[in-house]
């Protein structure tokens, strides 16, 4: 009994103390955020708005330029100009480069997912500021209504650009215009996606700014007309309905300089190198680019990783080296005439000399095949090191597995400049340039006329090509309506736009992607390979997503 | 007599429960009165570790007494023992010894022939018949019987006999003796089910801990460490000489008291306290020397030249020198030392212990060391007539770490052994694809100055008999300052692309502060002699805030400033040097309670509930409940067991508990806007861009583990053989993983969400045997063994699905991808890849496809689709069995300990062989196995079962020889010298690095630079060490 009393008393005291504790007890579990931003404390002034509007551009750098699994790699390494062969101990990489070259990719391939992931992520980086800007009053954000409309149009055009490039790779994809809604968006046919893109561009093109120095590196009317040109040029492939006149109309806007330009109305650059030099923000023909700036802003291109040799720095006097990855497929180099300056300007071949001592060879190092020996890029992919005395080099096997450190001639189109260059390492990457518009219009004209060249088409191509030849050579090489056949147009496209990411699209449009062979590639004759599969992990997750035909 | 009693009273030494509340004059009156009355005590064991609580009881009741017995209680070393309870058996008459170990007891009428029972925590009870003696002096022996051990169980202690869950306790005497770099080194191999993965003997790296298997994929696996009640205690604050014991709460039924931090189990560390009595000095020291035990078998310069002579490499690769780059990194002169001086003592009401230490831990690598010093102080005081106890602890650690060395092994191993380090002109030889490590160690610095401190205090007030209220508060602070410098002529400075030819400096700071406040109420009472109730309830608030900052700069014009004048460089201004800072916090709040009930110490029950919330969880799921229940039955106390003589004790127990895991990143549930790199603004300036960088998950919640544990504790054959066996089955649900989200419509491809479930089941056995025990010679054997399996139950729910989770990046050349694949229903740790068939005539790989045909690599289907893929499960990286055995031999004063440890039934991916046992890597230096075991191979790198090897090993981890001197002098209390050899031999067929250093915890994520089951290419040297040590007390 006594004990029970004690317990009662204990309970009473406990009952008195516990509420005291509860009063003192803080049950507040709110998160204090110190070094991160959440969207409800953003978009309060112009700088914040601009910083959100510009976010998708730094991201597009990741997928539109070489260096990661994005649009570029999927379009170039599956085509007939570039490959990433095994070179000695490097480049086996789980067979990924083989599968791109052989067209044996699967819905599980990480590059299939990688491009999807980066591009849709970029899409979200467009949609999120579109939603936030549209939901807010312009004055609250410290901008004018016109600026708000202009930013929204720019972002919608940039989003259309994402759709365009996704459609190029994957064809049938969902169309989503809100972040997070719907959770499982359904696949739409390529034609439906095409229509959405076209409408989105047309709805926004006039309220978007023209290209100007201020709009450097951004989507503008120039980029929008270029998108239209691309869309209509491929309309027959993508929707079954040709749109040649629309393509020509869009191209004409640009050719006439009506959409602006980086430095006055857009014109062709007079020199072959102007478009690709470190100071190419001064280029007149770039219509839409990723604008890098290293010296002041430490924002540098990512492509050296894919293109550069381990000792590339000695060749060009900069500081960046690469993974000795992408090379030009044997046979492509010789399609350039020897007096074609694009051959010597854009491609590295033969013995390499030191930038700082032009008479001294670059010596390979780092424990690969030519360690300690002069670096010589050769236009073949085979194990020359294993050549026995008296053996004909042509008897060596040449395929994706047989490369060496120096196999293949190399990318030298965009130049990063030497360390002392004030624009060193800041070369912009042109996504659209006027030369491509010239080619698009020429092709539309030729296709309209049943595949034969019109004088206007010849003139357009010649204007671009002429820059690559010395005046004394020009007469011999210029095109005439007779020489500019469709095959020749494709070949000339290959030369003019090598390394620029267009080749797969071109081969598909010319009907050659799955039917022709090149180097180590045998045709699959399987038209379903003209689309990449939808990544399996998304098909597994989203029941409304349909896999492309030919893939399981 | 009077003096002694007054002393007892004044000093508040009279503990116990039926006390009168005497203050002021009243107390004085009482004191006088008490000299003429009797005191008596009740002999109830209460699970309290403090001696103060075990006192005699005072009463105002009057007894007649017939005789008075006095005496002194001492320990085996002759030291007087204060606070010993002396009780007349079968009565409530009792007394307590004073500071000098003296006691006086008044024996009531008719009890003259009774028996006095002397009891003291940590010592065996002793019974002495009074007979006609009026003076009874007693020597108590330390208790070796585990059942009476008092074990810390979190928010309290329990007698081992009353514990109903899987709890292991390792006391000081059992600790590993090889000179701990980390407090957890002390218990490696001592607790069945606790995996302590050392990565190396690098003094600047920690250990990976895991209890019973994998409970998380992306969250922390490690157990919660609680140091003297501070949850999340920092291991840097623990010195081996300051630790009294380490308890491990392995199963959920005990760990649930720590709620959402207990999925990985709980490790409770108790530091040493002062004891009242004569002041003590204890000095402990050791010196340790390490030697490289086995180095990877690469070619030396002569062997390399022989390969050149064979024509396998061009003669141009002979650069004429003979170098051993690996050996250049070795600190052959290493000598580590440890000194710890502790002062302790106190009166009956106040005890203290203060220790200071100095440690110089030198790695086997050059420029790789840790010098630390600091101290630990604890003060306990009782007041308010013994109703109030206060305890204060302070600990601090100052550490200066040299972090420059300790790496670069891989580069040095593969370096051409004919390549000199210097140019002919004496300058260092640099080339862009490798690092000249000799130059790096000379031309760079990388230092850390760290201070870690903790302060905690606890006030405990006995409100009523059996009812106590406490408040505990603690603060921990960990900060460091990093500094690094690379000279003008260093390789980095000459080759970087930001600014060449200038020096480079970096500074970084880090500060973490943890605050804990925990008020609790405890109730402890024995009712009607049979019902022992111990209950605790409380509230816990813990707040952690972390901040960091760093800046670097390039282009220093000379090497004078080093990192001490960052502004003198020229690239921070240009925006090309980096600078950054961050801050984040999180809060944990809980209400918790536990009730332990024991009936006649036979039937035991324990109930726990913790209601806890974490700021890290999504707004829809901030709070969770973590209940547990366990029961035990001390069968041997049943009457029917009395005749079974060979059983000394026997208990079966079973428990079930739910715990959680909140060890995830802060702000994981929120959409945050992240920086996206700079881009050109309309004004031509480049500014930072911002965009969403995470998908939100307002439903984010804890991972939840449900665990059933059944165990048996026994002691048989006169306590010659004792042990525990535990069987467990646990399932962790709501596993957090970065699931692929629907993309579109979300911005990011992953969402951190609770989906999957993992289950583990296993057995743990702990055995202690005393095969031989004579007066002079004792042989003790302790064996631990565990077996566990880990399985992924499911990985998908309605919203989020994944076929597979890939983990364990293999790294190295050739982009080999991940080694492991987790699929629903599959085991965790399964290696998944190609099956090696043979090499073709060209030395190229052939692998088996699904039909069993040997085909070249490009015909292997690597799809995830099980219907078409050629890939298969090819091994498992998680040992099926862990075992260890400690043999302690004692002959008179001489002791010998032999400690063996092993892991069995698992595979290791030999990445060293994969990358360097292959001639394709020529003309780099490579393993000799490229010309022997792998001589047929000339193809590029491939991951397949060819490189999977059994990791089974037995390691002779420690031999310690010690001698205890018995001086018959008042100047030295004890003196022990010992010599320890560690990592003496490893018995294994594995061909790579020491399998002991291959991680067996985690799921393939990186922990301390390592991944489950994947050997490393950059192995910190495996060392054998020899240590001599001294413990002296006076």
């Amino acid at each position: 009994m006594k004990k029970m009393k004690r317990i009662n008393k204990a309970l009473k005291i406990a009952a008195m103390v516990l509420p005291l504790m509860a009063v003192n007890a803080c049950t507040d579990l709110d998160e204090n955020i110190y070094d991160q931003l959440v969207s409800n404390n953003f978009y309060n002034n112009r700088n914040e708005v601009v910083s959100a509007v510009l976010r998708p551009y730094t991201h597009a750098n990741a997928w539109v330029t070489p260096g990661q699994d994005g649009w570029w790699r999927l379009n170039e390494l599956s085509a007939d100009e570039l490959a990433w062969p095994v070179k000695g101990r490097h480049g086996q990489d789980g067979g990924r480069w083989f599968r791109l070259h052989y067209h044996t990719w699967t819905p599980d391939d990480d590059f299939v997912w990688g491009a999807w992931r980066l591009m849709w992520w970029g899409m979200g980086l467009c949609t999120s500021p579109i939603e936030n800007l549209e939901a807010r009053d312009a004055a609250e954000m410290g901008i004018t209504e016109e600026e708000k409309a202009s930013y929204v149009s720019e972002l919608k055009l940039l989003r259309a650009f994402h759709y365009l490039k996704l459609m190029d790779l994957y064809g049938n994809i969902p169309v989503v215009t809100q972040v997070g809604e719907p959770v499982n968006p359904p696949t739409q046919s390529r034609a439906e996606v095409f229509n959405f893109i076209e409408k989105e561009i047309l709805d926004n093109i006039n309220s978007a700014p023209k290209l100007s120095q201020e709009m450097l590196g951004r989507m503008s009317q120039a980029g929008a007309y270029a998108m239209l040109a691309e869309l209509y040029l491929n309309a027959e492939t993508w929707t079954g309905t040709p749109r040649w006149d629309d393509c020509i109309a869009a191209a004409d806007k640009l050719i006439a300089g009506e959409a602006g330009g980086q430095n006055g109305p857009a014109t062709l650059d007079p020199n072959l190198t102007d478009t690709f030099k470190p100071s190419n923000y001064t280029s007149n023909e770039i219509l839409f680019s990723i604008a890098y700036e290293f010296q002041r802003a430490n924002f540098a291109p990512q492509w050296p990783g894919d293109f550069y040799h381990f000792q590339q720095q000695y060749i060009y006097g900069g500081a960046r080296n690469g993974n000795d990855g992408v090379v030009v497929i044997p046979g492509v180099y010789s399609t350039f005439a020897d007096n074609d300056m694009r051959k010597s300007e854009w491609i590295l071949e033969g013995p390499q000399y030191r930038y700082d001592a032009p008479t001294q060879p670059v010596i390979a190092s780092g424990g690969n095949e030519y360690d300690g020996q002069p670096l010589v890029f050769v236009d073949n992919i085979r194990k020359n090191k294993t050549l026995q005395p008296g053996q004909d080099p042509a008897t060596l096997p040449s395929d994706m597995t047989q490369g060496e450190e120096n196999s293949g001639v190399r990318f030298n189109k965009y130049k990063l400049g030497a360390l002392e260059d004030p624009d060193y390492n800041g070369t912009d990457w042109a996504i659209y340039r006027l030369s491509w518009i010239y080619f698009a219009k020429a092709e539309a004209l030729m296709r309209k006329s049943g595949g034969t060249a019109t004088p206007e088409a010849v003139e357009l191509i010649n204007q671009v090509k002429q820059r690559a030849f010395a005046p004394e050579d020009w007469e011999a090489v210029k095109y005439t309506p007779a020489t500019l056949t469709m095959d020749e147009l494709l070949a000339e496209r290959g030369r003019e736009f090598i390394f620029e990411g267009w080749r797969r699209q071109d081969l598909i449009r010319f009907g050659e992607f799955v039917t022709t062979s090149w180097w180590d590639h045998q045709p699959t004759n399987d038209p379903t390979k003209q689309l990449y599969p939808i990544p399996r992990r998304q098909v597994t997750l989203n029941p409304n997503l349909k896999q492309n035909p030919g893939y399981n | 007599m009077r003096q002694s009693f007054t002393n007892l009273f004044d000093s508040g030494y009279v503990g116990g429960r039926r006390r009168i509340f005497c203050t002021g004059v009243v107390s004085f009156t009482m004191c006088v009165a008490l000299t003429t009355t009797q005191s008596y005590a009740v002999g109830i064991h209460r699970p309290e570790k403090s001696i103060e609580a075990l006192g005699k009881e005072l009463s105002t009741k009057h007894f007649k007494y017939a005789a008075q017995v006095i005496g002194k209680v001492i320990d085996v070393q002759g030291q007087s023992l204060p606070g010993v309870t002396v009780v007349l058996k079968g009565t409530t008459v009792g007394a307590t010894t004073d500071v000098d170990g003296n006691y006086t007891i008044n024996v009531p009428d008719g009890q003259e022939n009774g028996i006095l029972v002397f009891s003291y925590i940590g010592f065996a009870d002793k019974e002495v018949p009074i007979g006609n003696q009026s003076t009874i002096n007693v020597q108590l022996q330390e208790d070796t019987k585990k059942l009476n051990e008092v074990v810390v169980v979190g928010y309290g202690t329990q007698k081992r006999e009353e514990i109903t869950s899987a709890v292991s306790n390792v006391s000081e005497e059992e600790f590993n003796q090889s000179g701990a770099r980390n407090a957890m080194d002390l218990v490696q191999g001592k607790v069945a089910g606790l995996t302590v993965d050392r990565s190396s003997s690098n003094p600047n790296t920690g250990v990976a801990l895991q209890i019973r298997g994998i409970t998380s994929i992306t969250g922390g696996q490690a157990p919660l460490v609680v140091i003297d009640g501070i949850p999340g205690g920092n291991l840097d604050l623990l010195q081996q000489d300051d630790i009294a014991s380490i308890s491990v709460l392995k199963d959920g039924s005990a760990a649930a008291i720590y709620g959402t931090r207990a999925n990985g189990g709980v490790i409770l560390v108790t530091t040493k306290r002062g004891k009242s009595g004569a002041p003590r000095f204890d000095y402990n020291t050791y010196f340790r020397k390490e030697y490289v035990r086995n180095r990877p078998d690469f070619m030396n310069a002569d062997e390399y030249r022989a390969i050149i002579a064979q024509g396998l490499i061009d003669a141009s690769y002979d650069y004429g020198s003979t170098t051993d780059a690996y050996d250049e990194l070795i600190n052959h002169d290493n000598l580590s030392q440890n000194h710890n001086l502790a002062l302790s003592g106190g009166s009956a009401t106040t005890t203290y212990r203060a220790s200071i230490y100095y440690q110089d831990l030198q790695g086997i690598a050059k420029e790789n060391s840790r010098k630390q010093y600091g101290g630990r102080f604890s003060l306990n005081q009782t007041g308010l007539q013994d109703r109030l106890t206060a305890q204060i602890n302070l600990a601090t650690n100052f550490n200066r770490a040299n972090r420059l060395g300790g790496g670069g092994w891989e580069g040095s191993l593969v370096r051409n052994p004919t390549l000199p380090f210097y140019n002919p002109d004496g300058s260092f030889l640099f080339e862009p694809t490798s690092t000249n490590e000799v130059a790096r160690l000379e031309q760079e610095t990388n230092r850390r100055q760290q201070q870690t401190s903790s302060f905690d205090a606890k006030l405990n007030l006995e409100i009523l008999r059996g009812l106590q209220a406490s408040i505990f508060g603690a603060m921990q602070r960990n900060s460091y300052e990093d500094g690094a410098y690379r000279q003008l002529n260093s390789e980095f400075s000459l080759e970087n692309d930001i600014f060449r030819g200038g020096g480079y400096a970096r500074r970084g700071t880090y500060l973490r502060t943890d605050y804990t406040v925990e008020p609790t109420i405890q109730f402890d009472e024995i009712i009607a002699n049979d019902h022992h109730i111990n209950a605790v309830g409380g509230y816990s608030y813990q707040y952690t805030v972390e901040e960091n900052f760093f800046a670097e700069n390039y282009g220093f014009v000379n090497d004078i400033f080093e990192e001490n004048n960052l502004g003198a460089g020229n690239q921070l201004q240009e925006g090309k040097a980096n600078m950054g800072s961050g801050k984040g916090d999180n809060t944990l709040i809980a209400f918790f309670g536990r009730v332990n009930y024991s009936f006649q110490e036979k039937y035991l029950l324990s109930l726990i509930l913790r209601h806890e919330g974490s700021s890290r969880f999504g707004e829809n799921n901030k709070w969770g409940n973590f209940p547990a229940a366990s029961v035990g039955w001390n069968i041997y106390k049943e009457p029917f067991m009395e005749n079974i003589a060979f059983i000394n004790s026997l208990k079966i127990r079973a428990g079930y508990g739910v715990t959680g895991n909140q060890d995830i990143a802060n702000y994981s549930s929120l959409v945050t806007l992240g920086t996206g790199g700079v881009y050109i603004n309309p004004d031509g300036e480049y500014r930072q861009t911002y965009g969403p960088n995470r998908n939100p998950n307002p439903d984010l919640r804890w991972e939840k583990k449900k665990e059933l544990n059944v165990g048996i504790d026994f002691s048989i054959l006169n306590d010659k053989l004792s042990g525990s066996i535990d069987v467990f089955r646990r399932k962790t649900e709501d596993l957090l993983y970065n699931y692929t989200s629907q993309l579109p419509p979300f911005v990011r491809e992953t969402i951190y969400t609770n989906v999957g479930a993992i289950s583990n089941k296993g057995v743990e056995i702990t055995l202690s045997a005393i095969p031989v025990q004579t007066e002079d010679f004792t042989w003790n054997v302790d064996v631990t063994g565990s077996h566990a399996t880990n399985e992924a139950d499911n990985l998908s729910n309605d919203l989020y699905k994944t076929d597979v989770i890939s983990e364990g990046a293999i790294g190295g050349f050739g982009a080999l991808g991940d080694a492991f694949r987790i699929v629903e229903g599959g085991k965790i740790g399964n290696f998944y890849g190609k099956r090696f068939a043979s090499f073709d005539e060209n030395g190229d790989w052939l692998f088996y496809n699904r039909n069993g045909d040997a085909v070249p690599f490009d015909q292997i289907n690597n799809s995830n689709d099980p219907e078409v893929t050629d890939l298969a499960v090819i091994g498992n990286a998680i040992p099926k069995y862990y075992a260890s055995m400690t043999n302690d031999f004692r002959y008179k004063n001489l002791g010998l300990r032999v400690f063996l440890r092993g892991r069995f039934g698992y595979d290791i991916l030999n990445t060293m062989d994969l990358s360097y046992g292959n001639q394709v890597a020529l003309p780099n230096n490579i393993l000799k196995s490229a010309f022997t075991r792998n001589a047929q191979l000339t193809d590029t790198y491939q991951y397949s079962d060819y490189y999977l090897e059994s990791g089974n090993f037995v390691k002779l981890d420690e031999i310690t020889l010690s001698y205890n001197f018995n001086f018959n002098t008042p100047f030295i209390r004890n003196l022990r010298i010992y010599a320890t050899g560690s990592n003496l031999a490893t018995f294994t067929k594995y061909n790579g690095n020491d399998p002991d250093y291959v991680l067996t915890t985690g799921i393939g994520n990186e922990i301390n630079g390592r991944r489950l089951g994947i050997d490393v290419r950059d192995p910190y040297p495996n060392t054998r060490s020899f240590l001599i040590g001294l413990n002296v007390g006076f």
Side-chain angles (χ1 to χ4, degrees), chain A residues 6 32 37 92 217 313 319 366, chain B residues 465 500 585 667 673 679 857:
Chain A
R6 250 197 339 264
N32 307 303
L37 295 165
Q92 200 278 330
Q313 55 172 347
Chain B
R465 196 188 105 186
R500 289 195 175 173
D585 68 3
Y667 316 123
L673 295 179
Y679 205 64
F857 166 67

Side-chain angles (χ1 to χ4, degrees), chain B residues 635-771:
Chain B
I635 305 177
Y636 78 105
K637 295 202 170 182
E638 296 290 350
F640 61 81
M641 293 290 285
E642 270 173 17
N643 295 327
I644 306 177
F646 76 95
I647 294 180
N648 307 97
S649 74
L650 180 64
K651 176 172 67 183
I652 56 173
R653 50 186 164 72
Y656 177 81
V658 179
T659 54
N661 183 14
Q662 61 103 44
D663 190 6
I664 57 174
N666 293 339
Y667 316 123
S668 296
S669 73
L670 303 177
V671 188
T672 52
L673 295 179
T675 57
V678 296
Y679 205 64
I680 189 166
N681 280 220
D683 59 3
E685 285 301 314
Y686 278 77
R687 292 194 184 87
Q688 194 55 255
T689 63
Y690 289 92
N693 60 3
R694 192 150 51 199
N695 291 333
N697 183 3
D699 296 325
L700 187 77
R701 62 185 180 274
W702 52 95
E703 298 178 313
K704 185 197 262 184
K705 175 168 67 69
K706 300 170 175 172
E707 180 166 14
L708 179 66
N709 188 86
V710 177
I712 173 169
D713 300 325
F714 64 91
S715 178
I716 57 175
L717 304 173
N718 253 343
D719 295 325
K720 285 278 196 298
L721 179 64
S722 60
S724 302
I725 300 171
D726 278 281
V727 181
F728 65 89
R729 177 188 286 275
R730 46 174 26 187
K731 183 167 183 170
T732 312
E733 296 170 350
D734 294 338
L735 281 182
L736 281 165
Y737 186 69
N738 270 310
Y739 267 80
T740 301
S741 53
Q742 283 86 349
L743 182 73
F746 292 107
V747 179
R748 293 305 309 269
E749 71 277 15
T750 59
I751 182 164
Y752 198 50
T753 187
N754 302 80
V755 175
I758 284 179
S759 61
N760 326 101
K761 54 190 176 205
V763 181
E764 286 151 7
I765 298 174
T766 306
L767 293 176
S768 294
I770 312 172

Side-chain angles (χ1 to χ4, degrees), chain B residues 619-632:
Chain B
E619 60 179 336
N620 301 340
N621 274 318
K622 287 279 188 207
W623 293 85
N625 290 321
F626 305 95
S630 54
V631 292

Side-chain angles (χ1 to χ4, degrees), chain B residues 371-385:
Chain B
K371 278 195 178 73
Q372 52 182 357
Y373 55 93
R376 176 171 279 278
F377 174 71
S378 79
L379 179 72
N380 287 41
Q381 182 162 309
T382 312
L384 272 185
Q385 301 300 324

Side-chain angles (χ1 to χ4, degrees), chain A residues 63-83:
Chain A
W63 62 264
V64 87
T65 75
Q68 295 188 52
D69 288 331
W71 173 80
W72 188 92
R73 278 186 181 171
L74 265 59
N75 254 349
E76 285 288 10
L77 300 184
S78 60
D80 63 355
E81 290 188 317
L82 305 178

Side-chain angles (χ1 to χ4, degrees), chain B residues 941-961:
Chain B
Y941 311 100
Q942 291 283 6
Y943 163 53
S944 75
D945 59 0
Y946 183 81
Y947 293 113
L948 287 182
E949 297 179 37
S950 163
N952 292 359
F953 75 89
V954 172
K955 173 170 274 194
L956 178 53
D957 203 28
E958 179 189 319
I959 293 182
T960 296
L961 189 63

Side-chain angles (χ1 to χ4, degrees), chain A residues 528-542:
Chain A
T528 65
K529 297 293 185 192
Q530 295 183 125
L531 287 183
Y532 282 99
I534 309 296
R536 186 190 305 281
R537 64 180 79 194
Q538 286 297 323
V539 178
T540 312
L541 192 58
N542 176 354

